[in-house]
Amino acid sequence: MKIDVVSIFPGYFDALELSLLGKARQRGLIDLRVHDLRESAHDKHRTVDDTPTGGGAGMVMKPEPWGAALDAVLTADDAGDDPLVIFPSPAGDVFTQAMARELADESHLVFGCGRYEGIDQRVFDEYASRGRVRLVSIGDYVLNGGEVATIAMIEAIGRLVPGVVGNPESLVEESHEEDGLLEYPSYTKPATWRDRAVPEVLLSGNHAAITQWRQEQRVERTRRVRPELLPWALRGDTRGRHAADD
Ligand code: SAM
């Protein structure tokens, strides 16, 4: 998978040289390129922002540097590649595991990291008229910039790219996968730590009992922490799927 990122803080993305994604990059599974937006700003001060037209607080990112940076990334593209441009934004579609799976099938993602009050609307409109664009939020809160959101998305998407995580089984059993339930609690050795014992069933060697216990824990944890994620049949709502999904 090819990933281009445009940001005024390329240093944020050094974190993606570490761990599994760092190894995936070394192995050529993920080709990540980070571009400094200021290199596409051609005035003496490399200005990327200006005051909001119509008034208001803060600054807005100017369209010209974004146009130059994105044109360079998109025209450098391999023929036949159909890149998806993602602008992290608290006003976008909410990023989920299902979206991460969908995006892991893309061959080329381009992330445009906003700062200040965000990017001039015409940049979204321009690239949406020329190709595929999505505004994506990582949650209902406001960050200072799109870099942390982009790193979160690249990590969630990248680990689903075939070969990045050694044992693909470990991806299936996780929270938000398959049936949408949260994961069961995990334990390792020693069997007792600070008088806290591992649940006996996990030491029993009885695989059917362990599987049943884990499934019960998943349902119980999801009911307690994120009841809205429970499949309708497990919500205790006897009115049926349609009533429960209202
Ligand atoms: N004025 C904008 C608004 O109210 O929607 C918020 C701008 S925010 C301070 C600056 C940048 O941070 C945004 O352009 C976006 O790139 C990023 N950002 C902030 N919160 C985000 C979130 N929840 N998800 C994704 N990106 C976010």
Side-chain angles (χ1 to χ4, degrees):
M1 172 185 277
K2 194 165 148 192
I3 303 176
D4 285 285
V5 178
V6 181
S7 160
I8 58 169
F9 292 119
Y12 264 94
F13 298 91
D14 292 353
L16 295 175
E17 283 166 18
L18 306 174
S19 187
L20 283 179
L21 284 211
K23 289 198 184 110
R25 291 173 69 184
Q26 284 166 14
R27 288 160 56 212
L29 296 170
I30 293 177
D31 175 12
L32 174 71
R33 294 160 202 215
V34 183
H35 311 270
D36 187 347
L37 180 69
R38 287 197 195 278
E39 286 177 9
S40 298
H42 299 303
D43 66 311
K44 199 169 87 188
H45 301 290
R46 308 221 148 185
T47 313
V48 295
D49 60 318
D50 208 333
T51 53
T53 304
M59 300 294 272
V60 175
M61 295 192 104
K62 291 161 65 62
E64 303 94 320
W66 275 106
L70 291 173
D71 284 352
V73 164
L74 296 171
T75 52
D77 207 14
D78 307 325
D81 197 344
D82 179 22
L84 173 64
V85 182
I86 297 176
F87 292 102
S89 165
D93 297 329
V94 177
F95 188 71
T96 60
Q97 186 67 14
M99 195 193 289
R101 282 223 166 266
E102 193 188 317
L103 297 178
D105 286 336
E106 294 282 344
S107 57
H108 186 187
L109 297 175
V110 178
F111 288 90
C113 303
R115 280 266 150 187
Y116 316 112
E117 291 307 318
I119 303 172
D120 187 302
Q121 176 66 32
R122 291 168 293 180
V123 175
F124 309 133
D125 299 342
E126 165 76 5
Y127 290 94
S129 74
R130 290 166 44 172
R132 296 183 302 142
V133 167
R134 282 185 87 160
L135 267 61
V136 182
S137 166
I138 62 160
D140 293 341
Y141 43 80
V142 179
L143 301 164
N144 286 334
E147 288 75 11
V148 168
T150 296
I151 291 172
M153 286 189 263
I154 291 176
E155 183 152 322
I157 296 162
R159 66 199 295 279
L160 299 175
V161 169
V164 172
V165 170
N167 179 3
E169 286 279 297
S170 66
L171 296 174
V172 176
E173 283 199 356
E174 285 173 319
S175 300
H176 305 294
E177 282 293 352
E178 284 198 331
D179 53 14
L181 298 179
L182 302 182
E183 200 183 42
Y184 49 80
S186 301
Y187 298 87
T188 182
K189 299 172 196 67
T192 303
W193 175 75
R194 297 190 179 175
D195 291 335
R196 294 172 188 278
V198 165
E200 250 179 66
V201 64
L202 299 179
L203 304 169
S204 69
N206 180 338
H207 295 297
I210 292 172
T211 302
Q212 189 188 335
W213 180 85
R214 285 179 168 165
Q215 183 62 9
E216 286 163 4
Q217 293 292 313
R218 299 180 73 219
V219 173
E220 167 49 29
R221 181 183 259 185
T222 309
R223 192 188 305 284
R224 188 167 24 91
V225 183
R226 298 286 305 278
E228 77 281 10
L229 296 179
L230 274 184
W232 69 274
L234 295 172
R235 288 183 203 165
D237 185 333
T238 52
R239 290 174 300 150
R241 176 190 288 274
H242 298 299
D245 286 345
D246 281 346

